[in-house]
Amino acid sequence: MEHLTTETLDGDEALVATANYFFQALRADARLKSFVVPQNLEKLAKELRTFLSRAFDGGYPKMEIGPDLVSSRAFSQLVDILQELMKRPLPLGEDALVAAVAMLGEIDDGRVMQLFKELERAAVEDTDNVEADEEAEEDELEFEEEADHTVKGTGAFAGDVNTSSLEDMVMPAQQAEQVQNCWRSFLDSFASREIAGEAIYGALFDSAPSLQSLFKTPRAVMSLRFMMGINQIIMSLQDGQQVRLLVEALGFQHLDLEVTVPRVAVFRDAIMDLLASEMGSKVTPQAAEGLRQTLNYAGGGYIFIREKFSERLKILTSSWKIANGTEDEESYAVDEMALEEKEDEEDEEAEESGEGEESPSQEMNKEKKGLWDSLTSRKNGPDGGSNFMASSSFDAESKDKKKKGSQQDVPTTFNEMFRFNAAVMGLSNRAWMFEVLLSFDAIVKNIANSYRLQEECDVLALKITKIPGEVKLAEYKAVMLASLRSLVPKDWDTHHEVAWNWLWDNVERMLEKELGKPAGRQRVYGRFLGSLEDDTRQTLRQEVYSKFFVLAPAGQDYFKQSTTRLYFIADKILEMTLDMYKEPKRMVDDISALGLRHVGYGIPTEFFSPFVTACVEVVRELMGDEKLVDAFGWSLGLISRVLVRTINEGSTIVMKAINTNSVKQVKKALSCAPRGKRALWMLNVTVGTQSISPLVWSISSGSLEAASVILQDLLTIRADRDRYYYGVDEIFKRHPDIVEIITNESQALLPLMMDGMIWRSRVAVGGYRRVNYFLKHLLVNSEGQFADAMSWICKMQDPHITTHPLLVTLSDLVWNSIIYRTFLLGKMWLMFTIVVYLFSQAVVKNMSSNPEGTDDERIATFACRAFVYLCSMVELLYSRTKYACKAFKEGDTIMIGRLPVPRRYLEDWHEANSMLLTFVLSLMFMLEPVLYCMQSYDGDFEGSGLFTQSCSEANDVREVYTVLSMLAMLLYFALLIDFTALSTRLSAFVLVTARVIPELALTLVAAAYIMLTFSSAVTATNENNKDFDGIARAALSFFEIAIGIYSGTHYEKLHETPGTMLATCAFIITVTIFLFNVLIAQLICAYQKIFSNMLGYARLSRMDIVCDTMPSIPRRRFAKFVEDLKLDERMEFGEGDVGLPGGIQVTELAGLHPTTVDSIRRFGGSTSPAMQWPEEEEDAEADKFERLEKTFQKAMKKMLSSKGGSGSEDTGVSGVSGSDGGDSE
């Protein structure tokens, strides 16, 4: 502890410093090193403060705290006590060292009393306000110096922390520029701003670890906030008013923290020391002085705002919650770590009081817990205890309460009471008041944020301008106060009156400043934009970017698009600026959505201000009209503020990690998330009414490494003792079309997603293992209908994904349960129709020797044909016409020339076959011989009689009819190929056969070409051979030769014509020997290629049938099928281990998919949803190597710098380097 300086402190500051002393000593002690767990350091610091607070009754007196605070013997005895306590039985999952420190205050041990006595000896007499020893060195008076600088309104100059006022920041322009340059150089020395934030965070807590208790947000988030806050202030130093506004906004955010002058000094000196160590001589004295002044100014501003406005803002917040009936939801506003500590204390009390008992504090606060109690209940509900489902139940209860309230017809919220009072006071016709009412919630919640408040008031002024009628803001104030007094009757007092009057006075002042101006600005700017000539517009486009790149040269790295794209952006800015006046409501939503997209682009917000400045200056230089400049600048400035606010609020650490597309950065960002909100961090970032999904953004932006990490993390089952956490429900709740998104934009992620929806037990029993398929959302959508996931997967036409175990199980389940019977019944009707058609065309007419047939045969033939026409042709005509009309209506067509054709007629052979069959049957009906002979059936001809076909009137159509009949027979039997879907093996064979048909078709085309070539060549000779007399007969002869049916005697006649003989030999070699063997080789290769995917194609075909048949399944039948699956019942992960709902459980052979590692990641310790998950082993190992690498790099950097300083005098390890340098010269 020799590095500690001696400080004279009292009260809470003395307690914090004493706890810091023991905290560092315990961490450094060799006997306790193995018990110090990094994740529990904060708990350890908290327990130390609790224990040491017992040393003095009534608070700590003034004490000298330094390296000799207590003797080494007293500290050694303290370590001995802790080792003894750690041997006692501890609560399950509790950290040993933390538990031992917590028990120190409960034991009666003389060694503890001896320690307290030594602490009492460190107390200093407080006479005449004696200050700290003036002879101590300056760097040992860190806290005392800053505490003694009582500010007397002199401003934030070097060494002073002004806590009495907050005026505009004053700093010379040259000094401000040096501070900014120094800060930029500091940031550039790190790989990213996140790493710079980590360095600031580490420097701060290395100098005062006890301050960690003030910051309960995860380190990665807090470090980024440190960096962003300091960066905003420093980058605005030239504008003192801007700096003041920033400090005000940040100060209101620090109201819940006890910011003091000594703590400001610690923060300031830690940053100054970090810059000095990183930058060295690059930090000029003027820059150092300016940075010190800036940090003093900010710290003093925080203290001033806290002292002046803290109580007033608390009154506003609490009374607003009561007025809106949300006081029971206060747990949402409580810091996550504070909630965790409260829960841990209650757990300890419950354990001490016994099982099944509640402590008095728990009973008293039972009703006050509200929503948090439903979120962190130790009893899992039927949904598996998910926090999302718990919140859903709370929403249902809230709705019930609101329903009861409405039944009583009594206003229970501010909105209801405001409307009621407005009607009573005769002001219900003031439309502008209700526009203010819609924005009032955002105004109240952001009263502490002057930036956001100004933005809300400016937008509200635009909205009010669109409403006709006189505006008297005092009327709203009267209704507002009357409503609040009615809703907060018990607590309302003069303090409430002052607070709410102060709020409305601020809002009224901002509104009055702008009311009436937007209409005039719109007219001025509208005339300008309407009369803007093309040459002026082109000049404006060019000059905006030229001036912007001068103001912010680094902005060129973010505007890499083509010139035409940049001009398009400039035009959109001009249009949006006018639209902001015309349609403020729509524009705010559109700008918020645009801002969230810019979050994904990773554009720094500091570029917006110079861009707006560039636009305004260009308009001023081109037009010279100050009214126009004011109209343009005000609207564009408001757009810029909305964009910057949206980007800042939406720039979560997860979104920033996605921009880097780094697996490590994404995992690091996710490790900061509370386990109860981890899925939400990955699925939703909401700003105002707009939201963006980090998962979908990573997919659409091409950051597939980040997307795979997020998807894998969401589909990883994690568990503590109380509940399971699994994100599949949250994924499909946020993105019901996630399967479509993945299949369209990143098909490589689909197998990863499918793998995450399967759980396999590591333990096999009797040669089988449990398997849970979480297929609920792939089977049924939120409306209870068949989900579209399977159809989206079918559109991929990927045979590999269809053989995934999850899809195999899903398709087989649906096929065997509901599709098989419907499909078979449909095909049985087709089979019956084919049998009837077969009897009418081929069987009946061959049953007797009489070619005209008997009367009974003719009647049977006519009956069968009538059945085919009425029951098959009519049905086909209806269904094909219906589909064609639907396709034309929806535009689902493909143009062939100028003729639109329904897409499925070209892409689906079954549809094309059905359409062709419909056409053939229609022709057959029109050419039916029986109909032609209807009027002359009793004439004088052979075969006359009822339903005859032998009349003379049918002579012209009879042969055509038989050809059409043959064609229809082929088409009917082709439809029977669908029966192969009943067996995947048979279906696979048919599909493979169909896949190699194109090879056969190509060979036949080549053979036909060769036949035409040789037949044309042979006909050109003067040789006389009847078989080759003319091109047609020659081609027919060559065809017979090719298929081996050419007569042997005809071969002998070829000897009489040598030319024809030679041509025939060449044809046989070319076609029969070469071409057909090439066909065999092609078929073999194609079959080998397709064979591996044969089963996949069969599965794909079955899934297509499932998707096509499902619309014909009655809803009641499908609902009964889903109900029988019991998807909402939780499945077991093991005997007695009841897991998660949303799937089915089966058993499979243990050797089918060997599993040696439990896929559920289980963790001990605290079970609070507000806690982060502990670091996983593989990540911890990676971090160890990274830290080792950084340590090595830092050591090498110091060695090189020391070598540079010592020059040639440095010998030893630098000798090799030096010789290399000489060689290079």
Side-chain angles (χ1 to χ4, degrees):
M1 306 296 292
E2 288 77 7
H3 63 281
L4 290 178
T5 59
T6 300
E7 302 169 323
T8 303
L9 304 171
D10 62 354
D12 289 342
E13 293 176 358
L15 172 59
V16 170
T18 304
N20 178 36
Y21 171 89
F22 283 98
F23 178 82
Q24 293 188 13
L26 290 175
R27 290 183 62 184
D29 191 273
R31 292 172 290 175
L32 299 178
K33 272 189 176 180
S34 59
F35 296 97
V36 177
V37 179
Q39 291 86 347
N40 295 327
L41 289 180
E42 194 164 340
K43 289 184 179 180
L44 178 61
K46 173 194 167 188
E47 296 296 344
L48 270 175
R49 289 195 300 273
T50 303
F51 163 65
L52 293 171
S53 64
R54 298 186 176 95
F56 296 94
D57 294 332
Y60 268 56
K62 183 170 291 188
M63 299 178 61
E64 285 190 358
I65 301 173
D68 300 326
L69 179 62
V70 295
S71 64
S72 58
R73 180 173 176 275
F75 180 75
S76 179
Q77 289 178 345
L78 176 63
V79 174
D80 293 339
I81 298 173
L82 290 174
Q83 288 180 320
E84 294 171 5
L85 293 175
M86 284 189 288
K87 295 178 182 179
R88 296 185 181 182
L90 299 174
L92 184 62
E94 187 66 58
D95 181 271
L97 184 56
V98 174
V101 174
M103 288 187 285
L104 282 174
E106 303 172 3
I107 63 173
D108 185 10
D109 193 306
R111 292 172 291 183
V112 174
M113 301 307 297
Q114 181 64 30
L115 178 69
F116 285 170
K117 288 181 179 179
E118 293 203 9
L119 289 176
E120 292 173 0
R121 295 193 193 102
V124 178
E125 292 184 4
D126 188 11
T127 58
D128 300 327
N129 295 322
V130 179
E131 297 181 351
D133 188 359
E134 297 179 356
E135 298 178 358
E137 294 182 2
E138 184 177 351
D139 58 351
E140 293 180 350
L141 295 175
E142 181 178 67
F143 285 114
E144 196 63 32
E145 280 188 349
E146 298 302 327
D148 287 342
H149 278 289
T150 304
V151 179
K152 302 176 182 178
T154 58
F157 296 105
D160 293 336
V161 179
N162 184 359
T163 62
S164 62
S165 63
L166 183 60
E167 304 295 337
D168 290 350
M169 178 81 175
V170 178
M171 179 178 289
Q174 183 179 3
Q175 186 179 21
E177 184 177 357
Q178 287 195 24
V179 174
Q180 290 173 343
N181 292 336
C182 177
W183 181 254
R184 290 192 192 98
S185 301
F186 170 73
L187 294 181
D188 292 341
S189 65
F190 296 93
S192 67
R193 297 194 173 192
E194 289 79 4
I195 299 176
E198 288 279 354
I200 296 173
Y201 190 99
L204 172 63
F205 292 138
D206 282 346
S207 61
S210 59
L211 292 184
Q212 293 185 26
S213 60
L214 299 178
F215 303 100
K216 305 179 181 68
T217 308
R219 175 168 180 151
V221 179
M222 199 69 239
S223 60
L224 190 61
R225 288 181 184 174
F226 278 154
M227 191 281 302
M228 291 178 64
I230 299 172
N231 184 70
Q232 284 181 316
I233 294 174
I234 292 178
M235 291 298 111
S236 306
L237 283 178
Q238 280 91 348
D239 187 347
Q241 184 182 9
Q242 178 82 353
V243 175
R244 179 179 60 78
L245 293 175
L246 284 170
V247 171
E248 281 182 356
L250 292 171
F252 282 121
Q253 296 173 15
H254 288 75
L255 288 176
D256 58 331
L257 299 179
E258 189 178 353
V259 182
T260 61
V261 173
R263 285 172 175 171
V264 170
V266 170
F267 189 93
R268 177 201 64 206
D269 292 345
I271 295 178
M272 298 293 295
D273 292 344
L274 177 63
L275 258 70
S277 63
E278 290 291 334
M279 308 296 295
S281 58
K282 295 180 181 179
V283 182
T284 63
Q286 195 173 8
E289 190 68 19
L291 180 61
R292 183 181 180 88
Q293 175 184 345
T294 303
L295 295 175
N296 283 343
Y297 177 85
Y302 294 169
I303 298 172
F304 171 76
I305 291 171
R306 185 173 186 272
E307 292 176 351
K308 184 174 181 180
F309 297 106
S310 176
E311 192 62 32
R312 187 173 296 177
L313 292 175
K314 287 180 181 178
I315 290 174
L316 292 174
T317 302
S318 61
S319 56
W320 184 245
K321 288 181 179 180
I322 296 173
N324 285 282
T326 58
E327 68 275 13
D328 290 335
E329 300 176 22
E330 192 162 348
S331 56
Y332 269 114
V334 180
D335 192 271
E336 294 168 356
M337 298 307 296
L339 285 171
E340 177 219 343
E341 293 174 3
K342 179 180 179 182
E343 186 184 71
D344 290 343
E345 292 171 1
E346 292 174 352
D347 289 346
E348 293 171 4
E349 292 176 5
E351 290 173 359
E352 292 173 2
S353 60
E355 187 173 327
E357 298 179 2
E358 289 186 344
S359 66
S361 61
Q362 287 176 306
E363 293 177 358
M364 292 172 61
N365 297 324
K366 190 172 183 180
E367 295 182 357
K368 295 182 180 180
K369 290 182 183 177
L371 177 60
W372 186 254
D373 189 48
S374 67
L375 293 178
T376 59
S377 175
R378 299 291 182 182
K379 297 180 181 179
N380 289 334
D383 301 319
S386 172
N387 60 313
F388 284 87
M389 298 174 182
S391 62
S392 298
S393 65
F394 177 83
D395 292 341
E397 293 174 6
S398 299
K399 290 178 181 177
D400 291 340
K401 291 180 181 178
K402 290 181 180 179
K403 187 176 180 181
K404 292 177 182 177
S406 62
Q407 289 173 352
Q408 296 172 1
D409 202 20
V410 175
T412 57
T413 65
F414 179 79
N415 283 8
E416 295 172 359
M417 185 63 74
F418 186 93
R419 294 178 186 276
F420 175 78
N421 284 329
V424 171
M425 299 168 70
L427 302 175
S428 58
N429 61 341
R430 306 293 198 271
W432 66 268
M433 291 177 58
F434 300 103
E435 196 65 57
V436 178
L437 182 63
L438 292 175
S439 303
F440 198 61
D441 183 68
I443 290 174
V444 175
K445 290 181 178 178
N446 293 285
I447 187 63
N449 187 338
S450 55
Y451 264 169
R452 179 68 186 278
L453 181 63
Q454 184 66 59
E455 176 193 319
E456 290 290 341
C457 291
D458 288 346
V459 173
L460 183 56
L462 285 174
K463 294 178 181 178
I464 294 176
T465 303
K466 297 298 177 182
I467 301 174
E470 185 181 3
V471 178
K472 295 181 179 179
L473 296 176
E475 294 177 346
Y476 186 92
K477 179 180 180 180
V479 180
M480 175 196 74
L481 291 174
S483 302
L484 289 168
R485 294 187 192 109
S486 301
L487 293 168
V488 196
K490 296 181 180 179
D491 300 328
W492 193 267
D493 56 18
T494 55
H495 297 292
H496 287 74
E497 198 81 22
V498 170
W500 284 100
N501 274 282
W502 169 77
L503 178 145
W504 183 250
D505 289 342
N506 286 327
V507 173
E508 186 174 357
R509 184 177 65 256
M510 293 180 180
L511 288 176
E512 286 180 343
K513 182 181 178 183
E514 299 299 337
L515 282 177
K517 295 181 180 179
R521 288 168 175 163
Q522 180 181 343
R523 287 193 297 271
V524 171
Y525 185 68
R527 286 197 299 268
F528 160 73
L529 201 59
S531 61
L532 189 62
E533 298 179 354
D534 292 340
D535 293 341
T536 308
R537 184 184 293 270
Q538 181 65 19
T539 303
L540 189 148
R541 292 167 176 166
Q542 295 173 346
E543 290 300 319
V544 162
Y545 291 104
S546 299
K547 188 171 288 293
F548 170 64
F549 293 148
V550 171
L551 294 174
Q556 299 180 70
D557 298 332
Y558 294 91
F559 285 87
K560 303 175 183 178
Q561 301 92 333
S562 63
T563 304
T564 55
R565 173 65 180 172
L566 296 180
Y567 290 169
F568 169 79
I569 294 173
D571 290 340
K572 290 296 293 182
I573 291 172
L574 295 176
E575 294 174 10
M576 291 172 64
T577 307
L578 181 60
D579 290 341
M580 194 68 184
Y581 288 113
K582 292 181 176 179
E583 302 176 86
K585 290 183 181 179
R586 179 183 64 83
M587 284 303 298
V588 169
D589 289 341
D590 291 349
I591 294 170
S592 297
L594 179 64
L596 285 176
R597 289 199 297 274
H598 278 73
V599 171
Y601 303 147
I603 298 179
T605 55
E606 54 259 33
F607 291 130
F608 284 88
S609 179
F611 188 84
V612 171
T613 302
C615 293
V616 173
E617 289 300 322
V618 169
V619 171
R620 176 180 281 111
E621 292 172 2
L622 288 177
M623 309 307 298
D625 186 348
E626 287 302 322
K627 290 184 177 180
L628 171 62
V629 172
D630 174 66
F632 177 67
W634 189 87
S635 179
L636 185 59
L638 179 57
I639 293 173
S640 173
R641 280 182 283 151
V642 176
L643 275 174
V644 170
R645 189 254 306 167
T646 305
I647 293 173
N648 288 335
E649 292 180 7
S651 295
T652 64
I653 56 175
V654 176
M655 289 296 293
K656 289 181 176 294
I658 289 174
N659 292 335
T660 65
N661 195 25
S662 167
V663 173
K664 178 184 172 184
Q665 291 297 327
V666 174
K667 287 185 176 181
K668 184 177 180 181
L670 294 178
S671 66
C672 301
R675 62 186 68 177
K677 295 183 179 180
R678 190 176 180 115
L680 189 64
W681 279 33
M682 293 178 273
L683 292 173
N684 192 33
V685 175
T686 302
V687 178
T689 59
Q690 302 297 316
S691 64
I692 189 173
S693 169
L695 171 61
V696 172
W697 175 258
S698 62
I699 295 174
S700 59
S701 64
S703 302
L704 298 186
E705 294 291 336
S708 62
V709 173
I710 292 175
L711 195 59
Q712 189 173 11
D713 192 276
L714 283 166
L715 296 175
T716 298
I717 302 176
R718 295 181 174 86
D720 52 32
R721 296 186 303 277
D722 287 350
R723 57 183 65 83
Y724 286 96
Y725 293 84
Y726 186 41
V728 67
D729 289 337
E730 283 71 37
I731 290 177
F732 283 92
K733 181 180 179 181
R734 178 70 173 89
H735 302 294
D737 58 343
I738 184 64
V739 177
E740 182 182 23
I741 294 172
I742 292 177
T743 54
N744 290 339
E745 301 189 25
S746 179
Q747 297 180 2
L749 294 176
L750 191 58
L752 178 65
M753 178 179 175
M754 297 296 175
D755 291 339
M757 298 173 72
I758 300 176
W759 171 84
R760 287 187 173 88
S761 175
R762 182 174 56 88
V763 180
V765 179
Y768 290 87
R769 74 173 75 251
R770 296 175 189 249
V771 183
N772 292 352
Y773 292 102
F774 295 93
L775 45 71
K776 175 182 177 180
H777 299 286
L778 300 181
L779 175 63
V780 59
N781 59 22
S782 58
E783 299 175 356
Q785 300 176 1
F786 183 67
D788 295 325
M790 192 179 292
S791 63
W792 291 327
I793 294 172
C794 288
K795 290 179 182 178
M796 293 172 58
Q797 294 296 306
D798 183 359
H800 297 284
I801 194 63
T802 55
T803 57
H804 192 279
L806 182 67
L807 289 178
V808 170
T809 303
L810 175 64
S811 59
D812 285 350
L813 180 66
V814 178
W815 174 266
N816 295 328
S817 300
I818 53 176
I819 299 297
Y820 180 83
R821 186 177 69 177
T822 303
F823 174 78
L824 191 59
L825 288 176
K827 295 306 174 184
M828 289 303 295
W829 174 255
L830 174 64
M831 176 70 78
F832 178 73
T833 304
I834 292 176
V835 170
V836 173
Y837 181 78
L838 186 63
F839 267 86
S840 68
Q841 302 295 339
V843 175
V844 175
K845 71 177 183 179
N846 295 318
M847 292 179 66
S848 65
S849 58
N850 185 3
E852 303 301 329
T854 63
D855 291 343
D856 294 338
E857 291 173 351
R858 289 198 296 269
I859 292 173
T861 300
F862 178 76
C864 290
R865 290 184 181 181
F867 174 84
V868 171
Y869 293 140
L870 293 175
C871 298
S872 181
M873 183 189 72
V874 173
E875 188 274 332
L876 285 170
L877 278 172
Y878 172 75
S879 59
R880 296 310 99 199
T881 304
K882 180 181 177 181
Y883 169 71
C885 293
K886 182 180 178 182
F888 287 126
K889 182 179 179 181
E890 297 178 354
D892 188 21
T893 58
I894 296 177
M895 298 298 296
I896 299 181
R898 295 185 178 182
L899 179 65
V901 179
R903 183 181 302 275
R904 291 187 65 180
Y905 288 170
L906 300 177
E907 296 179 352
D908 188 347
W909 74 269
H910 189 279
E911 288 290 336
N913 188 87
S914 299
M915 189 62 194
L916 186 58
L917 177 60
T918 305
F919 179 71
V920 172
L921 288 177
S922 301
L923 289 177
M924 288 177 62
F925 177 74
M926 290 185 288
L927 301 176
E928 177 57 55
V930 175
L931 298 179
Y932 274 83
C933 297
M934 234 355 141
Q935 296 181 349
S936 58
Y937 68 90
D938 55 351
D940 186 14
F941 57 88
E942 185 180 358
S944 62
L946 187 63
F947 303 134
T948 182
Q949 305 178 47
S950 303
C951 64
S952 58
E953 288 83 351
N955 290 339
D956 295 336
V957 300
R958 192 178 295 113
E959 291 301 323
V960 178
Y961 181 84
T962 56
V963 174
L964 292 174
S965 174
M966 178 186 67
L967 182 58
M969 188 72 73
L970 294 174
L971 294 174
Y972 264 123
F973 274 90
L975 292 176
L976 286 178
I977 294 178
D978 282 347
F979 269 102
T980 59
L982 299 175
S983 169
T984 53
R985 288 178 60 83
L986 185 59
S987 178
F989 171 77
V990 173
L991 290 169
V992 169
T993 305
R995 296 276 175 175
V996 298
I997 285 179
E999 306 295 337
L1000 176 61
L1002 290 174
T1003 302
L1004 293 178
V1005 170
Y1009 172 76
I1010 295 173
M1011 289 177 194
L1012 179 63
T1013 301
F1014 277 94
S1015 59
S1016 301
V1018 168
T1019 338
T1021 66
N1022 294 324
E1023 296 179 345
N1024 186 14
N1025 190 319
K1026 294 182 179 180
D1027 291 342
F1028 298 91
D1029 187 10
I1031 294 177
R1033 295 197 62 179
L1036 179 61
S1037 297
F1038 280 124
F1039 176 72
E1040 292 175 350
I1041 292 171
I1043 63 177
I1045 63 173
Y1046 194 66
S1047 174
T1049 57
H1050 290 212
Y1051 275 113
E1052 294 177 358
K1053 293 181 180 180
L1054 290 176
H1055 292 286
E1056 301 173 2
T1057 53
T1060 305
M1061 181 69 178
L1062 288 174
T1064 302
C1065 292
F1067 176 80
I1068 292 173
I1069 294 172
T1070 305
V1071 175
T1072 308
I1073 298 177
F1074 174 73
L1075 194 59
F1076 286 174
N1077 280 284
V1078 169
L1079 172 62
I1080 294 170
Q1082 285 180 315
L1083 292 178
I1084 292 173
C1085 294
Y1087 185 83
Q1088 288 178 343
K1089 180 180 179 180
I1090 297 170
F1091 180 79
S1092 59
N1093 299 325
M1094 181 172 61
L1095 191 59
Y1097 284 116
R1099 289 281 177 189
L1100 190 60
S1101 175
R1102 176 172 287 187
M1103 290 170 63
D1104 280 327
I1105 294 173
V1106 169
C1107 295
D1108 292 339
T1109 309
M1110 189 58 71
S1112 63
I1113 302 297
R1115 284 192 176 184
R1116 182 176 299 177
R1117 184 181 170 195
F1118 180 74
K1120 181 66 168 59
F1121 160 68
V1122 174
E1123 182 181 354
D1124 292 340
L1125 291 178
K1126 299 179 180 179
L1127 297 176
D1128 293 330
E1129 291 188 6
R1130 297 160 66 188
M1131 300 173 289
E1132 287 189 342
F1133 287 130
E1135 188 174 1
D1137 184 7
V1138 182
L1140 296 164
I1144 61 172
Q1145 185 173 97
V1146 299
T1147 56
E1148 67 178 17
L1149 291 173
L1152 193 60
H1153 297 94
T1155 304
T1156 58
V1157 179
D1158 188 2
S1159 56
I1160 301 177
R1161 301 185 181 181
R1162 301 181 183 273
F1163 300 91
S1166 173
T1167 61
S1168 169
M1171 285 289 292
Q1172 297 91 4
W1173 289 112
E1175 189 176 16
E1176 297 176 9
E1177 293 183 2
E1178 57 267 26
D1179 297 336
E1181 290 296 326
D1183 289 342
K1184 288 180 181 178
F1185 282 111
E1186 182 186 1
R1187 287 195 295 269
L1188 181 62
E1189 182 181 3
K1190 287 183 177 179
T1191 303
F1192 179 75
Q1193 290 176 349
K1194 188 177 291 185
M1196 290 296 297
K1197 184 178 179 180
K1198 289 182 178 179
M1199 290 173 60
L1200 291 174
S1201 61
S1202 62
K1203 174 189 170 184
S1206 58
S1208 59
E1209 296 179 2
D1210 188 7
T1211 58
V1213 292
S1214 62
V1216 178
S1217 171
S1219 61
D1220 291 342
D1223 293 340
S1224 65
E1225 291 176 1

